[in-house]
Each structure stands twice: as structure tokens, then as C-alpha cells.
Amino acid sequence: MTETTVQHYVCISCPIGCPLRLVHEGDQILEIEGQECNRGAKYARQEFTDPRRTFSTTVPITGALYGRLPVKLSAPLPRPAIPAAMEAIRQLSAEAPVRLGQVLLRDVAGVAGVDVVSCRTMDRVTM
Amino acid sequence: MFGRMNRRYDVVVVGGGPAGLAAALGALDSGVSRVLVVEREPEAGGILRQCIHAGFGLHHFREELTGPEYAERFVLQAMDRDVDVVPHAYVTGLAVDSSGHRLVRVLSERGGLSTVECRAVVLAMGCRERTRGAVRIPGTRPAGIFTAGLAQKLVNLDGYLPGRRAVILGSGDIGLIMARRLMLEGVSVAGVYELMPYSNGLTRNVVQCLDDFGIPLHLSTTVTRIHGRDRVEAVTVAPVDETGRPDPEKSWDVPCDTLLLSIGLIPENELSESLGLALDVVTGGPKVDSTLATSLPGVFACGNVLHVHDLVDFVTEEALRAGRFAGEHARQLRRPRDTIQLVPGANVRYCLPHTLSTDRSHTIYMRAKTRLAPCVLRVGNLLEKRLRFVVPAEMIHLTIQPELLERFYEDRLQIDLVPVDGKGAP
Amino acid sequence: MRPATDTGRDGVDMYDVAILGGGVVGCAIARELSRYHLRCVLLERFAEVGFGTTKTNSGIIHAGQQTMPGTLKGLLEVRGNAMFDRLQRELGFGFRRCGELVVASNDEELASLAKMKADGEAKGVPGLEMWDAARLRREEPNLSHHLTGALFAPSAGVINPYEFAFALAECALRNGVEVRLEHEVAAIAPRPGGGFVITSTGPGVPAGAPPVEARFVVNAAGVHADQVAALVGADDFSIRPRRGEEYMLDRRLEGIVTRLIFPVPTPASKGILIIPTYDGTIMVGPTAHDQDDRFDVPTTVEGSEEVFAAVRRLCPSLDPRATIAEFAGLRAVSSSGDFIIGPSRVPGFFNVAGIQSPGLTASPAIAVHVTELLGRAGLPLVARDDFEPSVAPPARFAQRTHEERQALVAAQPLFGRLVCRCELVTEAEVHEAVDHGARTLDGVKFRTRAGMGRCQGGFCTSRVMRILADRLGVPFHEVTKRGAGSWMVLPMEPAGEGPEARKEGAPCSDA
């Protein structure tokens, strides 16, 4: 028999930031309270079952106006995969020209369908 | 065309960030064809180029973009529609000749100091960050004190880290986003300190930039002293009372080599001041009528130079409008004169534009002084709108339809934000 | 004709004079000595000259009526003041004789102004005038209406003290003085056969470099002068640092006062002033608080409250919220209260110590005086006929007319590339600053004003760092704010190295 446990979240769906309380027994959600609208419940459920995050960073680029190329994930990753993704991106580098949306790494951290893509066009410049 | 600058234009836009680019496109929409954008950086796009995080475009494009992506959409449109963008260029002054043309003085490496003639000018210089001096933090003056935006530029464009262990003063969105950015790059963030009893950033950023990384947020706390001779070695922080006064008895030292300041933005109005434009002491930007025209005929303003926005989408909306009106002015079309003064009332820090006309719908932007939830937004006796909440950090926008204004014969229209019980705030 | 110089131990040429300290006093002495056929060296502990007390000076050329008659400082102050017009023409630093007003708020103070006027006239201070309240209000309408009168001294002025020091050092360098930076004097020993052997430490001292040998030593080490004198036992005085805080206000306030505004002085200090700087900003301060630490120069909450309370009594519309920068500096106050200038009990070792206010005003006169004293002590003063008194002044693009700017850009396209938007500083001027000796961000800032304006470097810092890196031939992250230890950024680790790898060999270690 598992015990009933409580998780606390702050809803990020709007600036009100409702303090949410999610009661669960093992994997089973028993109750969600504290939300002023139903986006809160949806948020708490997602955070409890499969929290996902996305982030942007940069990779070094040569032959461009600046030394760094901004990149992002094409979709959110499961939260635990973030450090591995960051480490994988740390190994990347690019050479100008790069187009907006160009894929630099597929299936980052082994998550199918989540790619590292360029956030801008960087032309080749002659110094 | 990128890099081209002719002698004559219909509209000259000062600044090639999101406001300037949208203003240029707005001007083209109004029917003019010769538009110049003067940009001081090596490329257009503005500060968005260093805002590599996502969260832009939800209103304007109905999708979530990073800053560089949002900027690139506008740069491409400007190029496609044959706007001239001159980089590495700076407007040093503005004059009017005897035939009423505006003469814009542009300093650039390629063109030297040249004069460009036009019929309308749009100011879109953006804003700058408040610095240590503005909040007068006592202590030494070592290396390692950065505004959050400068640190963001160093990290995201140049590829350098501001230090090894940072303290962040101010919990606005830039500060929160930089906290996460530094953690991802292996810089430790000792804490975020906020003078106010609440964060000035979005809840989403507090959760995903601080909580996710275990970075403590200390509310009602501020930095009271900077230590270190050559490089920052520590800061003293102390809790503050309701009036914002620190309590030195309860202070403590936080070792760090870097202090990031995220303590607010100020419209960049050096040029506006030198032109003698009437400025609003609350927004720090020019006073504008409902066509976003300033007190100097033919000079318009939009974006963060007018008032500091929190969402670029609203900058775009405002700048498209300013560009359209500037284009109309260049074509010598005239709008009816504004007849109504818009006045900030209870719990309204400011509202823009400063005046309205009765002939068309108007978009009004305003900011609350304090948090109210729920509340009623009251526009004179014309309109009441119930809002779930208002907070100072989030700009309120409202559209007023001409049907309401047609029946309004007074010269003052006051906007109030009142609690739901109907009584005005003190 | 050049007199033969001694050759030191190991065949190292011996200097005639070693000047210890590259503040405005040391630099003025260096330039003065460079008029003669001499071999001189200047040793400075910081990365550039003028980076100590000079950089934080209030920047006032005093008329001289405020200083006690009969003192050395009083004599050299009036003499020094008269030298600045010519110096400005030769060296091009920012200087303007704006005049000063010592203001009174009651009859007692008015009486002391009358005495000050008589004292000043006896010392030869030109043009002193008593102003009544009506005249004061007409000339300076923003001053408090409680003020009852003022003593006007037209010969007072404002100066950029760092520009003065930079130009003096550059001129000395051009005329053959060696300037060694990041050289901190660690030991001074008498040299067998006469003279001194000076050992330095610091990042600027090459490994295995021989010590400096010199016949005469001039100790111009500012707040460290007593410690330096103690190295040879010439310390029959002591120095107590007196910290002063200054607050720089936004350019928006330009014109709120047009002259220096002083309260009636007390024996301890000239009080807290309103300074319309050469560059058009308003500066208020300084405080005066004695301390023991010779490096720690913090600003404080109490200091800011003291300054604004004082200046708002003189000019009520000065608003602390207009502050764009604050800083503090240390005055070198000697145990005698007066300047200590001249030979010490150790033959050949000269002290130039305790040069607090009006030290900046007196500095060129001090240099002449010290040179005369050295001559009397046996230093052969043979004037060079190729002495070049001038250095090229900075371009100061922001202060030029439209037509002058056009000419500058036409001649050098880098004048068309803006680096600092607040102060309108161009890339050409940053290059010029490097040509004239800037090696650090502060060195560029104090030569060009890039980073001194209301955004305080938010816009220009990385641009200036880029130019400095290129010009000095160092990586971007090795550019410093003001020398060793004041690193600005760290490089991101190259691909394949984790954050841990970066921690090794980084410019600063966690203490």
C-alpha cells in the first residue's frame, strides 16, 4: 500500500501564479486544488506526470559577424534530459553561413524528434 | 537594401530594432515607398538578437519564438519590401528646412556626416538599463559589476562569461533569464535579490529560471554594499522595511565575483531631449497624440523609446501604427486634431497616448501602480471592464471604439483601476 | 651638451632621478625634469599613471584665497594657478576658468568672506569681488535664496585631473623620461658610492630585471609616501588618508550652476561643493573622513546623505536621483598639515608628500620648486634645446561643430563609427587613446569619456574591449578594467571541455 503524498507547484499559465497542491498516491493523482481556472489543473498534471522544459543556448561559430550562434530545441525535452542535452550542445560548433532553422543536431539526448536548430541566419563575413 | 542610404526619403526611422523595423513596414503600408532605417549596430534586429530565450511572438504571430527568430522575420520583410537599412550609423541631430522638410544628420563610417531629407521621422531608439548610480549602491568600484543586458550581450553575442559566481540584484525578467543562462553555462548564481515584496518578472520565469535550478529568490532584500578592490569579492545584502530602507542589523555578506543589475529600463531619449520634445516625466518618453506624433511636427515615436514595454508584440503593434501615421504625414494626409486629453486616475501610473480623437478606434496602453485582483478598469463614464488582476509589471492594453467616443463631448477622459467593490484606491 | 652619467653596478646605466609615484605630482615633476639633460625614470604601481588619488580628484584649480596665508601650500597654490593657461595650450587637457563663489548665509560668514578677500589679495589672488545677495541671485539664480552674499574669485577653474596627468606623463615620455607601470616599490637601499638601488615588484616588472639605480629619489607616492620614505628611514612624518566621496550627476543638470560653489570653509576642509565639470556634468562632494586603510575607497550611505544634505542647502534643486556615478578617493594628509617638500634627512632622497588640496592646483609649481631644490643639491640642470612642451590634444568629437566633425570624418572614416552613444565618442578616438598610452578600459574611459555617461558603459564596454584586445594583441578576455586583478570576463570553454576545465588557470582564484 502506498501513502498519500502532496506536491506543490506554482502555476505559470498566467501572472496570477496560483499556488497549486496536487495530492497523489504513487502515480495516481487524487486531487488538484488551488487553481483559479482549469489551466492550473492541466499544468499540475503535466508537471507531475511528465515535466518538460525547453532552453536556448549558443554554439561557437566561425566566419560570422559574431562568435556565437543562438540555438534552441525544436520541442520541449523531459526535464531530466536537460543536463545531457546541454552537454551534447557544448560539443557543437558551426561555420557560417548558417540558415534560420537549420538543424545542427538531431534527436538530442536520445529523445526522438527533438532537434537542436539555429535561431537565426548568419552570413559568412569576410573580415 | 542593406547598407544603402540616399539623400531623400519619405520616412526616416531612427533605430533598427523591433520598433524601428515595424515602423518602417507600417510606413510602407500607408503608401509611401522610400523608407530609411538608421541603425547604430552592425546589423538590424536590436536587443532581440541577444534575447535568445523563447517567449516572443505569442500575440503577433500566435507562436512562440526566440528573440533572434522574431527579429529575423522583420528584417526579412524589410529587405523584401526594399526598406533601406544603414548599419553602423547614428543620428546626431534633426533640423527643419524652410520648405518644411526634416533634415536628419546621420553619422556613419561609409557616408561620413551626411544630411538626409525626409517628410517624417519615427523615433525608435529603444531603452537603456538603469545602472548602479541610479540606485546608488555604496561600496568600492571593482570590475565585475554588469547590467544584466550587458552580461547578456557578452554571453550570447560575444561568447564570454561575466564571472564564476554571480549575485543578481532585481528580479525583472532579464535578471531571471540571465540567472538560468548563467547556470546553464556553469556559472553559479548565489541568489536573486529583490527590493520589492514581489518579483517583477513573470511567474513562469521565476519557476523555470530560478526554482528549476534551486536559485534562491530573496524578496524585500537589497544589495547594500559592494566589496573588492580590483574585482568584486562579495556583496552585503540586507532586508528592507516597507519604505524600502535596509536594516543593517540583519545584513549578511554573499561571496561572489560578479554582480548583475537588473533594476529597470529607461527610454533612450538623448535625441528627443536635444530636439526639445515635450517629455512625460512618468514614462520618460515623449508626449504623443493619438497618431503617436510628438510635440515636434512630423516626428513620431514608438516602442521602448516612448515607454518601456514588457512584450515585444505590443512594441510591434504600436510601431506599425506609428509608421502608418508617419507615412500618412509624409503623404501630407492630415487626421482630425485630438480633442480629448487622456488622464491617468486611480492606481494608473500612466496611460498612452496622451490625447485621443473621436473619429476612430484607439489602442490605449497603461500600467497599474499596484497589484489589484480582481479589479475594474473604468474609462470615464464610457466603459467599465472587469479584469481578473492587474500588476505593475504587466502592461494593460485596451481598445476604445469610436461609437463610444462619438458621444463624448468633454475634454478630459480619466482612466481608473479600482477594486471590485467600486471604491477608488487611495 | 649632456653631462656624463655614472654607470651603475653590472654596467647598468644609473639614472639621475627616480620619481616614485605617477600621480599628477610625480608626472608634473617628470615633465619638469625632462626639460634638462637628465636621465629620469618614473615608477608607478598601477597599470596607468593617474589611477590613484589623481583619478578621483575633484578637479578644481583653486584661486588661492581660501588657503591659510604663510603656508607653503598657499604660496605654491597661487603660483600654480597662474601656470595653467599655458599648460592647457601645451598639453590640451580639459580646463576652463569658470570662477568660484564662496557663499555665505549669515553675517558672521559674510565677515569671514571679507577677511578671506583681504588675505587673498595679500597673496596676490587676482580679481576678488564681494557680491551681495542681489548680484548672486542674478548670476546664479538656482542657488538658495537664503544665501546673503558671496566672494567671487574669477581665476578658479575646473580641470579633468586625469587628462592633465596623462598629458604630463606623455610629454615627459616624449622628452626621454622612462615610465615603468605596474612597478610597486618594494625596497630602497643606499648604493655604495652614492645614490640608491630601488627594487620593484608587480606585474609590470620583467622576470630577472635588474633594480633601478638612481642618484636622486623623489618620493611622490601620495597616500603611501610615508611608507616609501620609511624604506630608507626618511619618514620623519606620517600620512593619514582622508577619504572623500563624490557624486556625479546627469548631464541634464548642466547649467544649474555655472561657477564652482563653495560653502565658507572650516579648518578641516573646504567643505562640500558643487562643481560644474569641464565636460558639462555636475559633480557634488567631497566628504572628508580620516581612515587607516590606504586602498579601500568605498562610498557609503552616510556619505551620500551628507553630500546631498550639504549641497541642497546651497542649491535646493540638486536631486540625488540624478546620480549617474559615485566614487571616492583618498587625500594624502600629512602629520604637519602642510605640504612636505624637499630633501629628507637621507641625502639625495627628496620627499614630496602630504600633497592634499590644493595639491592639483599647486602641482606645476611644486614641480618647478622640486627641480630647483634638486639643482641646489647638486643635480646638474642643463636645459635641452630640443624640449618639446606639447602633446597632441584629444579630438573631442562631441564638442566639435558640425563642420569640424565633417572634416574629421572625411580625414579618418573611423570618426564615423560611434562607440559610446551617451558621450558621442567615436572609434577613432578610442584608437587615439591607445596611441596616447591607454592600456585598460578605465584608461580609455578617462581619455575619451567612453563609458562615463548615463549608461555607464552598458553600450560601449564590449566595443572598447574589442578595440583594446586588437590593439594590445591580447585575447578579448585579457582586457582589464584597470590592470592586474581587475579582469572583466572569462572565456567560454572550447568544445569538449566542461565547466570544471575552465576553473584551472582562470585569471583569478577563489580566495
Side-chain angles (χ1 to χ4, degrees), chain B residues 243-262:
Chain B
T243 64
R245 219 178 155 78
D247 181 351
E249 300 292 302
K250 293 183 186 148
S251 69
W252 72 97
D253 287 357
V254 184
C256 58
D257 59 22
T258 303
L259 174 63
L260 256 50
L261 302 174
S262 174

Side-chain angles (χ1 to χ4, degrees), chain B residues 89-147:
Chain B
Y90 191 80
V91 172
T92 59
L94 183 63
V96 183
D97 74 5
S98 52
S99 58
H101 288 97
R102 311 284 166 274
L103 303 174
V104 184
R105 286 198 169 136
V106 181
L107 176 68
S108 69
E109 189 178 349
R110 230 185 289 171
L113 195 53
S114 47
T115 301
V116 177
E117 194 184 295
C118 64
R119 291 200 172 266
V121 174
V122 183
L123 303 179
M125 293 89 77
C127 58
R128 67 185 144 86
E129 297 179 276
R130 295 217 302 158
T131 64
R132 174 185 183 180
V135 289
R136 286 189 294 144
I137 307 170
T140 52
R141 295 179 64 76
I145 306 163
F146 300 88
T147 57

Side-chain angles (χ1 to χ4, degrees), chain C residues 134-468:
Chain C
R135 173 88 193 267
L136 181 61
R137 207 153 301 162
R138 202 160 61 233
E139 299 282 348
E140 295 286 353
N142 296 313
L143 290 184
S144 167
H145 286 196
H146 297 107
L147 300 173
T148 51
L151 176 61
F152 173 56
S155 65
V158 288
I159 182 174
N160 287 337
Y162 35 86
E163 289 181 6
F164 181 43
F166 296 151
L168 286 167
E170 189 181 343
C171 182
L173 189 72
R174 280 185 68 168
N175 289 298
V177 175
E178 284 180 43
V179 177
R180 299 194 185 177
L181 301 169
E182 297 189 307
H183 274 60
E184 180 181 347
V185 173
I188 306 173
R191 179 176 165 275
F196 301 88
V197 179
I198 305 157
T199 313
S200 309
T201 59
V205 184
V212 166
E213 301 190 11
R215 274 179 76 197
F216 290 94
V217 171
V218 174
N219 168 20
V223 290
H224 307 281
D226 54 345
Q227 296 166 325
V228 167
L231 295 173
V232 284
D235 55 330
D236 46 5
F237 63 95
S238 64
I239 297 290
R240 188 91 200 277
R242 183 174 293 162
R243 188 168 47 83
E245 299 182 23
E246 305 264 14
Y247 294 80
M248 185 71 80
L249 309 183
D250 196 287
R251 189 180 282 286
R252 195 172 293 130
L253 292 169
E254 180 168 11
I256 198 161
V257 297
T258 59
R259 299 169 183 85
L260 289 154
I261 308 297
F262 288 76
V264 172
T266 65
S269 144
K270 292 196 171 89
I272 293 173
L273 340 167
I274 308 169
I275 304 161
T277 69
Y278 173 77
D279 294 299
T281 51
I282 295 285
M283 192 159 84
V284 291
T287 56
H289 295 284
D290 289 350
Q291 66 176 43
D292 293 323
D293 196 298
R294 296 173 195 239
F295 288 105
D296 195 27
V297 277
T299 50
T300 61
V301 175
E302 300 74 30
S304 127
E305 284 169 356
E306 184 187 342
V307 165
F308 283 98
V311 296
R312 282 166 74 101
R313 276 197 294 274
L314 304 178
C315 181
S317 52
L318 287 176
D319 184 350
R321 286 174 301 182
T323 306
I324 58 170
E326 54 189 79
F327 58 89
L330 297 176
R331 308 171 182 87
V333 181
S334 76
S335 43
S336 78
D338 202 351
F339 293 166
I340 297 169
I341 299 176
S344 68
R345 63 187 172 210
V346 178
F349 190 94
F350 282 61
N351 285 314
V352 185
I355 313 295
Q356 58 153 323
S357 177
L360 174 64
T361 308
S363 58
I366 292 173
V368 172
H369 183 56
V370 168
T371 304
E372 283 166 9
L373 293 175
L374 285 165
R376 266 182 243 159
L379 183 71
L381 297 175
V382 179
R384 294 168 42 167
D385 44 21
D386 59 346
F387 173 72
E388 172 53 67
S390 301
V391 296
R396 296 189 207 278
F397 188 81
Q399 297 181 11
R400 300 302 190 97
T401 63
H402 181 73
E403 290 69 29
E404 289 171 338
R405 288 177 182 176
Q406 269 175 323
L408 283 172
V409 187
Q412 166 55 274
L414 287 180
F415 277 110
R417 196 178 270 207
L418 197 82
V419 170
C420 166
R421 62 185 172 192
C422 304
E423 298 293 318
L424 206 69
V425 181
T426 63
E427 190 165 328
E429 292 167 273
V430 177
H431 282 285
E432 197 180 80
V434 178
D435 293 340
H436 286 262
R439 294 294 175 267
T440 61
L441 270 177
D442 276 1
V444 170
K445 171 170 147 182
F446 284 96
R447 280 177 178 83
T448 65
R449 295 192 58 76
M452 264 195 195
R454 50 179 68 143
C455 96
Q456 288 284 295
F459 179 72
C460 66
T461 298
S462 67
R463 292 161 179 247
V464 175
M465 286 174 70
R466 183 73 62 198
I467 298 168
L468 272 171

Side-chain angles (χ1 to χ4, degrees), chain B residues 404-424:
Chain B
L404 285 174
L405 293 167
E406 275 164 13
R407 295 190 298 274
F408 188 76
Y409 297 107
E410 293 166 45
D411 53 9
R412 268 172 62 95
L413 187 57
Q414 181 168 313
I415 299 197
D416 301 293
L417 288 164
V418 292
V420 174
D421 63 16
K423 288 183 212 129

